[in-house]
């Protein structure tokens, strides 16, 4: 096999409008016929973005590996935009792919005459066929984003993805791929060796009494917190985090801020300095959902807390 291959998971690019709302109906083979140049296509699923789960990601990883072994020059994955950033990150965390792997989709139903799906798919094919030495990327609205940085910044507009504080790594203009910057390739972290049990993510909220965090962390090895700003929590929520740490759990501090940057700056009650001194782990430059993927993978590999900390630090971004 040569050329770029399309793997479809569904999403808006595959949808049409019904009297009960938009639903996926168009498979990957039919999608591939709208853009010339794919060497083949198949659907692994036909679901909405929020239906994507770890089982489907594992099927995606397995099939992509088979295609690479068979000689595919690149892989394009179409999925719902709700799942694009996590799908790209999971692909990046699991494997150092020897060919370009590109994740895309659309914000406008694929069956509409004005869909952005065809343009996104053509751009994704151009990147997948470029032979570039890159980690998995997100291609959307003519922009190429590092799969470890892409964030969905709108639920409705066409230009729905960005990498806040970092920007795209390239563009597709008139079918030509133009690289803006070349981030160093990241380290892959291998396969789960045991069951995948997703860890919870808890959102910081002013005046929070800590009860939600306590409940989420009960019986869990780790919990990810989307904190305020640089990694700060309301005092009672911070107390709950410290209790979980005292009980042997790992509390991973990310931020609600779009660029993902955290730092031990603030020393007031609930501030990030005190939390880090108590044993919380900062996930610098890693979004809450990506931190969840990392910790979930590490736990599925049987890693202890110190090893989980090292795993998170290995993905830290300035």
């Amino acid at each position: 096999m040569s050329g770029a291959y399309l793997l479809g998971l569904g999403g808006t690019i595959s949808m049409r409008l019904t009297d009960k709302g938009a639903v996926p109906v168009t498979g990957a083979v039919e999608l591939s016929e709208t853009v010339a140049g794919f060497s083949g296509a198949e659907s692994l699923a036909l679901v909405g973005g929020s239906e994507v789960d770890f089982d489907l990601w594992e099927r995606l990883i397995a099939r992509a590996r088979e295609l690479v072994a068979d000689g595919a020059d690149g892989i394009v994955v179409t999925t719902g935009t709700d799942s694009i950033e996590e799908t790209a990150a999971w692909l990046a965390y699991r494997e150092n792919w020897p060919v370009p792997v590109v994740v895309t989709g659309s914000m406008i139903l694929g069956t509409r005459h004005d869909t952005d799906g065809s343009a996104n798919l053509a751009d994704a094919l151009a990147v997948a066929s470029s032979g570039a030495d890159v980690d998995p990327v997100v291609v959307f609205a003519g922009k190429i984003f590092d799969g470890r940085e892409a964030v969905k910044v709108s639920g409705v507009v066409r230009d729905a993805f960005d990498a806040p504080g970092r920007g795209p790594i390239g563009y597709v203009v008139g079918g030509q791929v133009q690289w803006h910057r070349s981030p160093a390739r990241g380290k892959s972290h291998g396969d789960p060796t045991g069951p995948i049990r997703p860890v919870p993510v808890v959102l910081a909220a002013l005046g929070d009494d800590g009860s939600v965090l306590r409940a989420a962390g009960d019986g869990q090895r780790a919990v990810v917190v989307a904190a305020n700003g640089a990694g700060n929590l309301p005092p009672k929520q911070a107390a709950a985090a410290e209790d979980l740490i005292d009980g042997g759990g790992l509390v991973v501090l990310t931020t609600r801020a779009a660029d993902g940057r955290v730092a031990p700056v603030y020393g007031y009650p609930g501030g990030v300095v005190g939390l880090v001194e108590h044993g919380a782990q900062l996930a610098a430059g890693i979004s809450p959902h990506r931190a969840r993927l990392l910790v979930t993978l590490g736990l599925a590999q049987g890693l202890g807390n110190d090893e989980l900390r090292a795993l998170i630090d290995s993905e830290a971004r300035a």
Side-chain angles (χ1 to χ4, degrees):
M1 176 193 297
S2 61
Y5 198 93
L6 176 63
L7 293 175
L9 306 185
T12 301
I13 195 171
S14 297
M15 291 188 182
R16 67 175 173 84
L17 188 63
T18 73
D19 57 1
K20 294 184 179 179
V23 296
V25 297
T26 307
V29 172
E30 188 174 350
L31 279 178
S32 72
E33 293 170 350
T34 66
V35 176
F38 282 105
S39 63
E42 65 187 87
S43 293
L44 298 182
L46 199 54
V47 298
S50 291
E51 295 180 89
V52 174
D53 58 17
F54 285 90
D55 287 341
L56 181 51
W57 281 332
E58 288 303 284
R59 289 172 51 206
L60 172 62
I61 294 288
R63 184 61 182 130
R65 285 173 173 167
E66 290 174 350
L67 291 170
V68 170
D70 287 344
D73 296 322
I75 295 172
V76 173
V77 179
T78 52
T79 189
T81 55
D82 290 348
S83 64
I84 279 181
E85 60 186 270
E86 288 164 273
T87 298
W90 191 249
L91 285 162
Y93 293 156
R94 290 295 304 283
E95 183 86 19
N96 278 127
W97 301 95
V99 301
V101 177
V102 183
V103 184
T104 194
S106 74
M107 292 297 292
I108 307 300
L109 301 183
T111 51
R112 276 179 43 167
H113 74 279
D114 60 343
T115 182
D116 56 333
S118 297
N120 287 343
L121 192 59
D123 289 348
L125 175 60
V127 176
S129 304
S130 69
D133 182 23
V134 292
D135 286 330
V137 296
V138 171
V139 171
F140 216 90
K143 302 173 185 176
I144 308 168
F145 298 102
D146 186 326
R148 286 173 161 92
E149 297 176 350
V151 175
K152 188 177 183 183
V153 294
S154 175
V156 293
V157 303
R158 291 173 184 256
D159 194 3
F161 287 85
D162 200 353
R166 297 169 178 84
I169 62 173
Y171 303 89
V172 184
V173 181
Q176 300 300 309
V177 179
Q178 302 176 359
W179 297 103
H180 175 63
R181 60 186 173 95
S182 300
R185 296 205 63 172
K187 182 180 182 297
S188 65
H189 304 297
D191 295 339
T193 56
I196 297 176
R197 298 188 176 95
V199 302
V201 179
V202 177
L203 182 68
L206 300 183
D208 191 285
D209 65 2
S211 60
V212 173
L213 180 53
R214 293 181 192 276
D218 185 30
Q220 296 282 346
R221 282 273 317 281
V223 60
V224 174
V225 182
N228 297 321
N232 312 298
L233 297 177
K236 291 181 180 179
Q237 199 172 33
E242 291 174 353
D243 287 345
L244 291 175
I245 294 167
D246 291 342
L250 180 66
V251 174
V252 180
L253 290 179
T254 64
T255 176
R256 293 164 47 185
D259 66 3
R261 291 183 168 96
V262 290
V265 176
Y266 297 99
Y268 57 76
V272 60
V273 170
L275 288 164
V276 171
E277 288 178 347
H278 203 92
Q281 170 68 34
L282 288 181
I286 306 172
S287 72
H289 292 86
R290 276 188 277 271
R292 172 181 178 260
L293 296 183
L294 271 178
V295 177
T296 295
L297 177 58
L299 289 174
Q301 293 172 335
L303 302 187
N305 282 4
D306 288 344
E307 295 167 308
L308 289 171
R309 291 179 186 276
L311 176 63
I312 294 166
D313 286 340
S314 74
E315 287 291 337
R317 296 200 160 207

